[in-house]
Amino acid sequence: MAAKAKRKISNFFVWIILGLLIVALAGFGVSGFGGNVRSVAAVGESEVDVNLYARALQRDISQLTQARGDTVTFAEAQSLGLDRAILQGLLAQAALDESARLAGLSVGDGTVSEQILSLPNFIGADGTFDRQAYQFALENSGMSVAQFEQSIRNDMARNLLQGAVVAGVRPQPAFVDAIYSYVAERRAFTYAVLGEADLTEPVETPDDTAVRAYYDAHPEEFTAPELRRITYAILTPDMLIDSVELDEDALRVLYDERSSQYNRPAMRMVDRLGFADEAAAAEAKRAIDAGETTFDALVAERGLTPSDVDLNTVTQAQLDGAGAEVFALQEPGVVGPLPSSIGPALFQVNAILMEQ
C-alpha cells in the first residue's frame, strides 16, 4: 500500500511538467510583422526572436539550395511550407522554454561554459578553445556572446525537461519518504481541557522573592540578543576613475606586455585534405577548377567528415610551408597542392580574418 502511494507521488511530478507544457502550448500567440518587431511568436513569456527565425529560415533555404543544385527563392520556400514548418519547430522549443521557466529549470554559468568549451567548432589547431574563432563565428551569425550563451542555457534546460518527461521523474527515496510521510501520516490523540475550577488547590500569587528566583533561574527568557549599530561607506572604482591620474609610460609598458590581447594576427579558417602523392593532389585540384567536383565532395568520397579535415582558425606560421600560398588568397577558395605534415594536400579557405 505504501509503495503504491509512493509511486503515485513520483508520477505526480511527471504530470506537473506535462501540465505546464500543455498550458504553455495552449496559450501561444503569433504577433504580426510591422513596426519595431522583436519576435515573430511567443508562448507565455518565452518569445521566438525574429533573428532566430530568420537564421533558421536562411539555413534551411541554403540546405535546400545545395540539395537541389539551384537557387531556392523565399517565395518557393513559402510554397513548400518551409516557413511554417520552421515556425512550428521554434514554437515547440518556446513551449519547452516556457515550461522550463515555470518549473524553475535552468543551468549555471559553469555548466554553460563547459558546454561551449567542448564544442568542436571552437577548438583550435592546438586542441584548445579558440576564442577568436568563437567570436568570429558569432559575428558572422549575427549573435552576441550573451545571446549565444543564453541559447545554450535554454537548450540545456530543454534537454533536462525533455529527459524528465520521457524518462519519468525519479526523486530520491528519502525525498519520496518525506513527502509521503507529510501527506499520509496520521496521529490519534485524546485531550482534556483543565480550568481553574479543576484544581484541587488555588494557585497562589507569587511574591517578589519567588519572582526573583524564577528570573534568576531562567535569564534567557528575559534577555534580548546583542545588537550592533553599524555605519559604513561604499567606495567603487567608478567613483574614483575621474580622479585617478594614469602614467602614460606605465600604460605603454602594460600594453606591450599584453599586446597579444589587443592585436590579432591575420588568420584563416582552413580545411586540409591530404593525398598519397602530388600527382593525385594535382588531379584533384584540376577537377575542382574544371567544376567536375568540389572539395567537400572529395572529402565525402574518402568517407571523411568535415571535422576530420577542419584545421579551424590558423595563422600563416601554423601552416609552415603552405602558409604563404594559403594566405595569398583574397577570398575563400581552394589552393594546392602544397606541402603539409600529412604529405601533399589541398587547402580550402572558408573564411578570412584580417589582422586587427
Side-chain angles (χ1 to χ4, degrees):
M1 181 75 175
K4 183 177 180 181
K6 291 180 182 179
R7 284 196 299 272
K8 289 183 178 179
I9 291 172
S10 178
N11 293 334
F12 172 72
F13 293 99
V14 177
W15 288 111
I16 288 177
I17 295 175
L18 288 174
L20 290 171
L21 182 58
I22 291 169
V23 170
L25 283 170
F28 79 83
V30 179
S31 60
F33 290 93
N36 185 19
V37 179
R38 190 166 64 90
S39 65
V40 295
V43 180
E45 296 183 13
S46 299
E47 297 180 341
V48 177
D49 184 78
V50 65
N51 293 321
L52 177 63
Y53 174 71
R55 285 194 298 269
L57 186 60
Q58 182 60 47
R59 180 197 64 225
D60 284 14
I61 290 177
S62 298
Q63 291 175 350
L64 187 57
T65 296
Q66 292 178 358
R68 286 178 30 170
D70 59 352
T71 302
V72 177
T73 65
F74 179 71
E76 289 178 301
Q78 281 185 306
S79 67
L80 295 172
L82 190 62
D83 58 328
R84 295 185 295 278
I86 291 172
L87 183 57
Q88 184 179 5
L90 293 177
L91 276 171
Q93 288 187 4
L96 290 172
D97 289 342
E98 181 67 6
S99 299
R101 185 188 69 81
L102 293 173
L105 290 177
S106 185
V107 295
D109 293 341
T111 304
V112 173
S113 177
E114 290 177 4
Q115 178 69 11
I116 293 175
L117 293 176
S118 67
L119 293 176
N121 292 342
F122 307 137
I123 303 299
D126 59 355
T128 62
F129 178 73
D130 190 331
R131 180 167 294 279
Q132 292 175 339
Y134 173 59
Q135 294 175 339
F136 178 77
L138 295 187
E139 289 172 3
N140 278 353
S141 66
M143 295 181 71
S144 68
V145 171
Q147 289 173 328
F148 180 71
E149 291 178 353
Q150 185 59 43
S151 72
I152 294 293
R153 193 186 310 277
N154 291 344
D155 287 343
M156 299 183 76
R158 282 196 298 271
N159 289 338
L160 286 174
L161 179 64
Q162 289 172 309
V165 172
V166 172
V169 179
R170 301 182 182 275
Q172 294 296 320
F175 179 71
V176 175
D177 290 340
I179 295 295
Y180 177 73
S181 297
Y182 177 79
V183 172
E185 282 188 356
R186 298 292 185 269
R187 295 291 186 272
F189 59 92
T190 302
Y191 71 95
V193 178
L194 298 178
E196 186 176 355
D198 298 308
L199 298 177
T200 57
E201 295 181 5
V203 177
E204 297 181 359
T205 302
D207 56 19
D208 291 344
T209 302
V211 171
R212 169 58 65 180
Y214 185 87
Y215 175 83
D216 293 338
H218 305 87
E220 68 280 354
E221 296 182 15
F222 310 99
T223 304
E226 290 187 2
L227 300 175
R228 295 290 185 272
R229 186 182 300 278
I230 300 175
T231 302
Y232 64 92
I234 297 177
L235 190 63
T236 66
D238 290 339
M239 298 176 182
L240 299 174
I241 191 169
D242 293 333
S243 61
V244 175
E245 295 184 3
L246 300 176
D247 187 312
E248 185 68 24
D249 293 335
L251 283 176
R252 174 59 59 182
V253 170
L254 185 61
Y255 176 85
D256 292 339
E257 290 175 352
R258 301 181 180 180
S259 60
S260 61
Q261 297 181 23
Y262 311 126
N263 299 285
R264 185 181 72 187
M267 305 184 78
R268 302 291 186 268
M269 298 185 72
V270 177
D271 295 336
R272 179 186 64 188
L273 182 61
F275 292 84
D277 52 53
E278 190 160 344
E283 173 58 24
K285 180 63 165 60
R286 183 205 63 76
I288 293 174
D289 293 341
E292 299 172 4
T293 188
T294 64
F295 185 91
D296 293 337
L298 291 174
V299 172
E301 288 174 7
R302 298 275 194 88
L304 302 174
T305 65
S307 61
D308 293 328
V309 298
D310 185 13
L311 297 182
N312 213 315
T313 307
V314 294
T315 63
Q316 182 172 334
Q318 289 176 304
L319 294 175
D320 298 324
E325 291 195 45
V326 170
F327 275 68
L329 288 178
Q330 298 302 308
E331 59 184 17
V334 180
V335 63
L338 295 171
S340 74
S341 59
I342 60 173
L346 296 184
F347 292 81
Q348 176 172 262
V349 176
N350 299 310
I352 296 175
L353 285 71
M354 304 304 293
E355 181 180 16
Q356 291 186 355

